[in-house]
Amino acid sequence: QEQFVESGGGLVQPGGSLRLSCAASGFSTDYYAIGWFRQAPGKEREGVSCISHSSRFTYYADSVKGRFTISRDNSKNTVALQMNDLKPEDTAIYYCAAQRLIGGKFCVPLDYDLWGQGTQVTVSS
């Protein structure tokens, strides 16, 4: 069974850090762009950061540039998101997803077709 499992979410104070991890099983991530997306209550799901299959290309939403870093290790079938200087507006459920569709748009949620179950990130004092 092809699936992603996210981990690393939790409750953190503003200014703190978290590292999210996404582990794939049942398939190889070698050939797919992988992204981290988030959805806050009452808001649409948005692309936070995405990385191409070779790690050559990355994307960061303006709201997280300079604070978040995406990385991948294809030998371990994992993708990580290091989140520093967290803000209350970063509170959301974070999902990782793979883009297996040919010709899909980079870091656009509708063009990613294999999703994990999500992990909650809450930034609050």
Side-chain angles (χ1 to χ4, degrees):
Q1 181 181 1
E2 298 176 337
Q3 63 177 354
F4 276 124
V5 177
E6 299 101 334
S7 61
L11 173 64
V12 64
Q13 292 186 341
S17 297
L18 284 174
R19 183 176 178 85
L20 304 183
S21 182
C22 177
S25 62
F27 72 104
S28 173
T29 58
D30 288 9
Y31 306 106
Y32 306 126
I34 306 292
W36 284 97
F37 302 83
R38 67 186 180 188
Q39 189 164 19
K43 295 189 176 181
E44 292 187 356
R45 190 168 297 189
E46 64 172 344
V48 176
S49 182
C50 296
I51 188 166
S52 63
H53 74 282
S54 64
S55 301
R56 180 178 179 186
F57 301 106
T58 57
Y59 163 88
Y60 294 94
D62 287 343
S63 58
V64 307
K65 281 180 182 176
R67 301 189 296 122
F68 291 11
T69 303
I70 192 170
S71 60
R72 67 189 295 164
D73 185 340
N74 285 345
S75 68
K76 296 181 180 179
N77 252 9
T78 58
V79 179
L81 185 69
Q82 178 67 41
M83 306 188 296
N84 299 327
D85 189 23
L86 283 160
K87 305 177 186 299
E89 52 264 40
D90 295 318
T91 296
I93 300 175
Y94 283 70
Y95 302 87
C96 65
Q99 184 180 50
R100 299 180 298 179
L101 301 173
I102 296 174
K105 296 182 178 64
F106 197 52
C107 227
V108 173
L110 285 177
D111 287 350
Y112 284 66
D113 62 319
L114 178 62
W115 292 81
Q117 83 287 352
T119 185
Q120 177 70 47
V121 171
T122 303
V123 185
S124 175
S125 55

